[in-house]
Amino acid sequence: MKKKTIAMLVAFMLVVMNASMVHALAPVAEVYYNAGTSTYDSSDFESQLNDAIKAKLQAGGVNPKYVSIMDASADPANVSEAHVHSGRNTWYLSNGFTPKLETPDYNHVQITNDGRTLTFFGYTQPAYKDFMLTSGSPVGKKIITFDMDESKVDYHSMEGGGFLFNTAIDSEGKLSGYAILYINGAIKVYQISDVDADALHNEQTRVLSQVPGVTQIGSYTKGASTHHTIKINVTDTKLNMWDNGDQIIRDLALPAVYGDEFGPIVSYASHGCEEISVFAYDNLKLFTTSGKSLEVAVDQIPWGEHAPLRYVVDINDDPSTLLDGDINQTNLKDSFDRNEAQYIGVSDPEYKDISETFISEIHKGGQHVESDKTSAEIIDAIAERIADQIIHGYKDAILAIEKAETKTDISFASGDSKNTVKNNITLKQDADENVTTVWSSDQPSIIAEDGTVTRPVIAQTGTYVTLTATITKDGLTSEKSFTVYVAAADPVPLSTLDVVAGNKEATLNFPALLGATKVTVELSENGTDFTPAFTEETIDDASTSATVTGLRNGVTYHIRLVVESGPYEGTSNVVTVKPVAPSSPGVVIPPDMDTKVIVSDQSNGGEVVQGKITKLVGENLKVTGKVKSANGQEISVPEITMNQDGSFSIPQLPAGEYKLLLNVIAPNGERLAGPAGKLTVGSNGSASLSVDLVDPYGTILDDVTNQPVTGVNMQLYWADTELNRSKGRVPGTPVNLPELPDFAPNKNHNPQISSDSGEYGWMVYADGDYYFLGEKDGYTVFDSREDKRDERFGEDSYIKNGIIHVGDTIVKFSFSAKPKVKAVGEHTPYMLGYPDGTFQPNRGIVRAEVAAILSRLYTATAKAEKVSYADVSADYWAADAITIATNNKWMVGIGENKFQPKKQITRAEFAQMLANMYKWEAAEESSYTDIAGHWAEKAIATVEKQGLLFDFKETTFNPNQPITRVEVVRIFNQLMERTPWHVEVGQKWTDVPESHPFYKDIMEASTPHPFEQYETGVESWKVK
């Protein structure tokens, strides 16, 4: 997350829903006090003076909120944007809600009005906590002042907003401190202990008061007015807060000392809708205090811009050091005069004369108050002067401005509101000629100063604009602001596309295509049939120009843009251009030859194909090249290029045969290997170019099955050669290739995975030496350095001694992947045919046959005990197998001491037998529709989950139907991993020809043979 430091000299907090209206008459009087050494106890000076001025102003009919009292040693504080969410994904969550508004940069805090306004934007669902803290751990008293207008507040998804103070985040990321939060109807104060700062920031469901580690230590009622002028003073041990001059919180004890950092916090509640809540801090003042002498403090006081009355109260029994009648006093006088401030000195009677002399010298004068008077007398004397000057000098102006504020407003056209502005706004103001009202806009290009609205062309749904009415009278200033959301302009296809002709190219000019997800340049020679064109640049939503290359001089082209998404969505206007060659005085440039292009696909026997030679790797890729004579000498002619239509611009050449060495140019401008071509120029000037399709694909086949191998991890490396070292390439390191977006399926990535058809492919750099590794589980790693093939490609590319050298021509490299051997041995038959030479694959299998199969396939572990069934005689052919199967509980009798050896086994019984033998975890669901409630339902579902019922593809299983011999063979072959790829002997059973779909399975089960079993799951028979 980016960090931004913001000087918080001014800001005023407003809590609103979607839009805001605020107004605040600037302070009429600003009082800064400097507490030095005095017999007068000034520890409660601020509260006492505030109460006294308030009483006198109210008695005089003036709102006391227009007086600001501040410690003169205050220093502006900075906050850091350390815990504020940003990014489009924080607006568009996976909850299905589309936010009604969004900020231009998708940051949830926006800084406007020359840094005077800080606005927090909420979310469509999570209960995030966004906060900003001061940097550098400022020390001293913390002072926060701001105004708040709740007349337009809708808390919606917000718990509230306020400030953290006396806060620290420790080395483990735990936040401790305090928070004062303004919520609906109340002011809450919380103590925060060891709360993970990031977890608090990313809280999903709970409001601040519900977070573990957060404890409420105070709750207070807000002032009755909807307009609040608030001041907060915080020391290490106490919190005080005033609202419109009334002290709401007085000396609230803070139980522990945590730290010194402070700053704004906004707490959201979990909800679910498209509404976005907004917290705006405007004209907020954040300060800390530090010890200062009077002369330093006066020059560093951050006086407000509009306050006509300024006072500095110096509480100091002995002011003679500064009021020395010499240079110190002169400097202090200059400071007061520069700041147009009055001096109120609270000092010992002994220094009355020098105090009054100083007062007489400064422009604005002042007052001397003797410090030996009672506290009440001192406070009353100062309050009387300040209140009197406000009442007699500015009361009429204050009342006039307050009246004008009530008449200053905006109204909307029908269908518009502050949340969605599409039409002009009407500005309303007081008709009193003695009051001046001037309107301004923070975005005049969107809302002009007369209310004219021009909806912006932006990627977001709209944008906030603040209109401000500045009301003045007799030196007093009030600013009433209205924040509205102006809807973005409706999408309209671009109509201002422009074009400039060049040499075999055209440059397009257009505005930034904000919000576009894809921009395609389309080209046509007849103005009707458009096809995608390639440009030198990749066009995105920030682009304002693009150069279309590969055009033919003298040909008229029609060009347009197709824009997906954003305000310019659709097809642009069509521009027409005719590229021309540059002219030089006295020089005639002959036209290019009219060349016929024949493209051959060597992967398909040299078949002639239509289209560009780059159709497999990217239609929009640029192709350039050079011409060589038949004996390999390079000919000095301009570089040849492939045109947009797939033709080539080739300069005039004498009759004869030539070689073309072509390179494909990647989107980033890098030169890649391409195909070789043969150019034939006839005596009549006609030309024919034969060139291969750009086809870098290699194929990977299984060495045993000769089938494509998918999922091979292919990685290309720089070979250890002098050529590579001379070019600064590090041998043995992966090659970083440019992405080719239309080169399926891997976009030229390195590494890449082979496709379902076993294909891989790279477009590599010309003039380089390479090797690659191919890796997949179950196969031996293929290292091309160990492959000793000797092949040539074109004039200058080859594979030799394990090195893949690429000159200008593409190299194709196919290979076989060798499966790893898992086991070697002899397979004996586990299933026999019948004496008549048949196998009878579709006949049902009886219980005795199954017992015989089990005894041949599985190792008995149970103790051999005599088993006697009434229907199995001692000399029965399967008696021993039935005994083994019974002792090992592979099969059991069916009751009444019978085994029923000649009974055909059903599909359900076979599934239950397998489930009993393998003890798989029982499955609860099955895809078969006819087994619900069947006694073997779970067994069938379990065997299906194991993937063994692959031959039962219908929706019904028919559990009571006998299972056939071939079905049993197929299941046992799968279980025993006996899956031969080919069978090395001829037909054995008269009813199972080699064309039988399960010939290999039946032969595997019924024929003895040596085998190699591979980790790929394939078995190969080995003939002795």
Side-chain angles (χ1 to χ4, degrees):
M1 182 181 298
K2 67 179 183 178
K3 284 196 172 185
K4 188 184 300 177
T5 300
I6 307 146
M8 298 299 292
L9 289 175
V10 280
F12 143 49
M13 173 181 170
L14 174 67
V15 186
V16 297
M17 174 62 200
N18 288 327
S20 61
M21 183 280 287
V22 301
H23 59 85
L25 174 61
V28 177
E30 290 186 297
V31 182
Y32 283 85
Y33 62 93
N34 183 65
T37 303
S38 176
T39 56
Y40 162 62
D41 181 6
S42 62
S43 60
D44 202 25
F45 174 79
E46 189 170 331
S47 294
Q48 293 173 352
L49 182 61
N50 183 82
D51 291 343
I53 293 176
K54 173 187 173 184
K56 293 179 184 295
L57 288 178
Q58 287 178 332
V62 176
N63 193 319
K65 70 179 182 178
Y66 302 125
V67 178
S68 168
I69 305 174
M70 183 83 71
D71 192 319
S73 65
D75 297 305
N78 296 324
V79 294
S80 172
E81 187 184 324
H83 288 84
V84 177
H85 288 89
S86 64
R88 190 177 189 278
N89 61 331
T90 64
W91 295 81
Y92 290 86
L93 304 169
S94 59
N95 54 16
F97 295 112
T98 299
K100 281 192 173 180
L101 61 97
E102 54 199 80
T103 60
D105 59 357
Y106 297 111
N107 199 317
H108 286 267
V109 64
Q110 298 290 303
I111 303 163
T112 55
N113 293 340
D114 297 323
R116 293 178 300 164
T117 298
L118 192 68
T119 307
F120 285 81
F121 291 81
Y123 308 86
T124 59
Q125 182 170 352
Y128 288 155
K129 317 289 175 249
D130 285 340
F131 54 91
M132 306 166 77
L133 290 172
T134 49
S135 56
S137 296
V139 296
K141 181 168 60 177
K142 314 299 183 295
I143 304 168
I144 305 169
T145 65
F146 61 95
D147 292 334
M148 177 164 54
D149 179 1
E150 289 193 292
S151 63
K152 302 294 182 179
V153 170
D154 178 355
Y155 282 87
H156 192 66
S157 66
M158 303 176 299
E159 178 187 15
F163 299 89
L164 293 168
F165 59 90
N166 291 6
T167 296
I169 299 177
D170 64 20
S171 59
E172 296 181 354
K174 297 297 182 65
L175 184 148
S176 298
Y178 300 90
I180 183 169
L181 206 64
Y182 299 85
I183 65 172
N184 193 10
I187 301 167
K188 302 287 186 179
V189 183
Y190 300 103
Q191 183 178 6
I192 305 173
S193 300
D194 288 331
V195 173
D196 186 282
D198 289 336
L200 179 67
H201 176 45
N202 295 299
E203 173 62 44
Q204 292 287 320
T205 58
R206 295 170 294 199
V207 295
L208 181 65
S209 58
Q210 296 172 338
V211 173
V214 177
T215 305
Q216 180 177 306
I217 60 173
S219 179
Y220 305 88
T221 302
K222 292 179 181 177
S225 173
T226 58
H227 299 276
H228 305 272
T229 296
I230 293 173
K231 179 169 66 176
I232 301 169
N233 280 2
V234 181
T235 67
D236 285 345
T237 58
K238 293 181 181 179
L239 168 66
N240 287 275
M241 193 210 80
W242 292 262
D243 183 352
N244 289 337
D246 294 325
Q247 189 156 6
I248 304 299
I249 303 176
R250 185 182 296 271
D251 292 339
L252 174 65
L254 305 177
V257 177
Y258 295 111
D260 293 303
E261 296 189 20
F262 66 116
I265 181 172
V266 179
S267 175
Y268 300 96
S270 178
H271 75 304
C273 75
E274 67 278 2
E275 300 287 355
I276 296 292
S277 306
V278 180
F279 278 54
Y281 297 77
D282 190 19
N283 299 328
L284 167 74
K285 295 179 181 178
L286 296 181
F287 293 100
T288 61
T289 59
S290 58
K292 297 179 184 177
S293 60
L294 178 63
E295 72 277 15
V296 173
V298 171
D299 270 337
Q300 293 184 356
I301 288 174
W303 298 105
E305 183 180 355
H306 302 296
L309 297 174
R310 296 175 173 179
Y311 306 89
V312 176
V313 180
D314 183 29
I315 305 171
N316 190 358
D317 278 352
D318 181 3
S320 60
T321 301
L322 288 177
L323 305 184
D324 60 357
D326 202 350
I327 187 65
N328 288 339
Q329 185 166 328
T330 299
N331 291 338
L332 189 61
K333 173 187 177 299
D334 291 343
S335 293
F336 271 82
D337 289 345
R338 276 195 305 273
N339 292 289
E340 297 185 327
Q342 300 181 43
Y343 173 80
I344 298 179
V346 181
S347 61
D348 190 277
E350 177 183 348
Y351 301 102
K352 178 180 180 179
D353 291 343
I354 65 172
S355 179
E356 291 184 341
T357 297
F358 177 69
I359 291 169
S360 67
E361 292 175 348
I362 59 178
H363 294 163
K364 293 295 183 178
Q367 176 186 26
H368 173 73
V369 180
E370 296 177 353
S371 61
D372 62 349
K373 293 184 177 181
T374 66
S375 175
E377 291 173 328
I378 293 172
I379 292 295
D380 187 70
I382 298 172
E384 181 66 28
R385 178 180 182 85
I386 295 170
D388 184 69
Q389 290 185 343
I390 293 173
I391 293 169
H392 290 93
Y394 297 98
K395 178 179 178 179
D396 291 345
I398 291 171
L399 296 178
I401 287 177
E402 288 180 337
K403 172 177 169 288
E405 287 176 342
T406 64
K407 295 180 177 293
T408 302
D409 203 353
I410 62 175
S411 62
F412 304 98
S414 177
D416 282 5
S417 69
K418 64 185 179 182
N419 301 330
T420 306
V421 173
K422 296 183 177 180
N423 302 286
N424 294 341
I425 291 174
T426 300
L427 309 180
K428 300 177 181 180
Q429 61 191 54
D430 192 358
D432 187 347
E433 295 182 353
N434 296 315
V435 176
T436 300
T437 302
V438 177
W439 287 89
S440 62
S441 168
D442 66 346
Q443 295 192 70
S445 63
I446 299 177
I447 302 183
E449 295 173 357
D450 63 355
T452 300
V453 173
T454 303
R455 292 167 64 186
V457 178
I458 55 176
Q460 287 73 28
T461 56
T463 187
Y464 274 103
V465 178
T466 298
L467 289 167
T468 301
T470 302
I471 307 168
T472 58
K473 178 175 172 57
D474 299 340
L476 300 188
T477 300
S478 174
E479 290 185 345
K480 186 171 183 178
S481 297
F482 304 83
T483 301
V484 299
Y485 193 69
V486 181
D490 294 328
V492 177
L494 178 67
S495 61
T496 57
L497 178 65
D498 191 17
V499 65
V500 177
N503 182 24
K504 299 181 182 180
E505 64 183 29
T507 299
L508 302 173
N509 297 298
F510 43 86
L513 305 172
L514 303 173
T517 56
K518 183 179 181 181
V519 181
T520 304
V521 178
E522 291 189 340
L523 185 73
S524 172
E525 290 188 22
N526 60 16
T528 301
D529 302 315
F530 285 85
T531 58
F534 53 76
T535 60
E536 288 188 346
E537 312 87 349
T538 299
I539 306 177
D540 58 25
D541 62 354
S543 302
T544 57
S545 67
T547 301
V548 183
T549 58
L551 304 180
R552 288 174 289 157
N553 290 337
V555 176
T556 298
Y557 293 96
H558 307 270
I559 307 175
R560 67 189 185 187
L561 298 184
V562 178
V563 181
E564 296 183 15
S565 301
Y568 292 113
E569 182 174 14
T571 302
S572 76
N573 59 301
V574 177
V575 293
T576 303
V577 66
K578 182 185 290 186
V580 295
S583 60
S584 299
V587 177
V588 178
I589 301 176
D592 293 333
M593 294 189 297
D594 185 10
T595 306
K596 179 182 179 181
V597 180
I598 302 171
V599 181
S600 301
D601 183 358
Q602 296 303 322
S603 294
N604 288 300
E607 175 186 352
V608 175
V609 295
Q610 301 299 314
K612 296 180 180 179
I613 64 172
T614 57
K615 63 190 301 182
L616 296 182
V617 295
E619 289 272 4
N620 293 331
L621 292 175
K622 183 178 179 181
V623 176
T624 65
K626 52 194 174 184
V627 182
K628 288 186 176 184
S629 65
N631 60 8
Q633 295 296 313
E634 187 168 340
I635 297 176
S636 179
V637 293
E639 183 178 68
I640 65 173
T641 58
M642 183 177 73
N643 300 316
Q644 290 277 356
D645 59 2
S647 64
F648 280 81
S649 293
I650 301 178
Q652 294 286 340
L653 292 169
E657 290 192 352
Y658 301 87
K659 298 176 181 178
L660 261 63
L661 298 180
L662 300 175
N663 292 117
V664 175
I665 308 303
N668 63 2
E670 295 183 280
R671 187 171 66 98
L672 307 176
K678 178 182 178 181
L679 176 66
T680 303
V681 181
S683 58
N684 60 355
S686 64
S688 175
L689 172 60
S690 297
V691 64
D692 290 340
L693 188 69
V694 176
D695 180 5
Y697 291 105
T699 303
I700 310 169
L701 300 178
D702 187 291
D703 190 54
V704 174
T705 67
N706 206 37
Q707 296 298 300
V709 183
T710 183
V712 179
N713 183 60
M714 300 292 296
Q715 184 141 11
L716 186 69
Y717 297 88
W718 292 115
D720 187 2
T721 64
E722 181 58 35
L723 171 63
N724 283 344
R725 287 192 293 272
S726 69
K727 292 180 175 293
R729 299 160 177 167
V730 180
T733 59
V735 181
N736 184 21
L737 294 172
E739 182 175 86
L740 304 182
D742 298 324
F743 183 11
N746 293 303
K747 301 182 179 181
N748 211 41
H749 292 168
N750 183 36
Q752 61 180 248
I753 303 297
S754 63
S755 68
D756 290 344
S757 57
E759 289 185 324
Y760 75 98
W762 291 297
M763 292 292 291
V764 302
Y765 302 109
D767 201 21
D769 292 331
Y770 305 88
Y771 72 92
F772 65 81
L773 300 180
E775 300 181 71
K776 182 180 181 180
D777 288 346
Y779 289 90
T780 301
V781 174
F782 183 86
D783 186 336
S784 66
R785 292 171 295 183
E786 299 173 359
D787 189 293
K788 301 308 178 184
R789 72 184 71 187
D790 188 346
E791 296 181 36
R792 295 197 67 84
F793 301 84
E795 289 289 310
D796 55 359
S797 299
Y798 56 82
I799 306 171
K800 189 173 183 178
N801 297 325
I803 298 297
I804 305 169
H805 172 73
V806 179
D808 283 303
T809 306
I810 288 173
V811 171
K812 292 169 65 80
F813 198 126
S814 297
F815 66 93
S816 294
K818 295 184 179 297
K820 292 181 180 178
V821 176
K822 180 179 181 181
V824 177
E826 294 277 345
H827 275 157
T828 58
Y830 65 83
M831 199 162 187
L832 304 178
Y834 293 97
D836 63 357
T838 62
F839 188 80
Q840 300 187 34
N842 297 320
R843 176 181 173 179
I845 192 168
V846 299
R847 288 170 54 81
E849 290 174 323
V850 173
I853 290 171
L854 296 179
S855 68
R856 294 169 188 145
L857 286 178
Y858 296 93
T859 302
T861 58
K863 182 180 178 181
E865 295 182 356
K866 184 178 180 181
V867 175
S868 177
Y869 288 110
D871 55 353
V872 180
S873 64
D875 59 354
Y876 185 67
W877 71 269
D880 290 342
I882 292 171
T883 298
I884 293 171
T886 302
N887 283 333
N888 287 275
K889 296 183 179 179
W890 298 335
M891 299 179 72
V892 294
I894 61 172
E896 298 180 356
N897 194 32
K898 291 183 179 181
F899 188 78
Q900 292 194 357
K902 297 180 181 180
K903 178 182 180 295
Q904 291 185 338
I905 192 167
T906 66
R907 293 177 175 182
E909 290 168 336
F910 191 77
Q912 186 66 59
M913 180 194 74
L914 293 179
N916 292 343
M917 289 179 63
Y918 281 91
K919 295 182 172 54
W920 295 304
E921 181 180 352
E924 299 296 330
E925 296 180 356
S926 171
S927 64
Y928 297 116
T929 60
D930 60 345
I931 66 169
H934 192 279
W935 65 268
E937 177 183 358
K938 284 193 175 182
I940 296 167
T942 301
V943 176
E944 179 188 11
K945 184 179 179 182
Q946 295 299 316
L948 296 172
L949 301 183
F950 43 80
D951 282 335
F952 306 95
K953 297 182 173 66
E954 288 121 11
T955 58
T956 57
F957 183 65
N958 296 315
N960 298 323
Q961 181 175 316
I963 192 167
T964 67
R965 286 165 57 80
V966 72
E967 288 168 346
V968 169
V969 163
R970 297 261 291 159
I971 290 173
F972 276 126
N973 279 354
Q974 184 77 8
L975 281 167
M976 308 310 293
E977 296 183 340
R978 292 175 62 162
T979 52
W981 183 253
H982 54 83
V983 173
E984 296 289 350
V985 297
Q987 179 177 345
K988 181 176 182 179
W989 309 107
T990 59
D991 58 347
V992 184
E994 292 187 25
S995 60
H996 192 283
F998 303 128
Y999 176 76
K1000 289 188 290 186
D1001 288 285
I1002 294 170
M1003 294 297 286
E1004 171 67 31
S1006 62
T1007 307
H1009 59 273
F1011 73 92
E1012 276 190 353
Q1013 194 176 64
Y1014 302 100
E1015 292 186 8
T1016 57
V1018 169
E1019 176 186 314
S1020 177
W1021 284 26
K1022 295 298 180 182
V1023 180
K1024 293 183 178 179

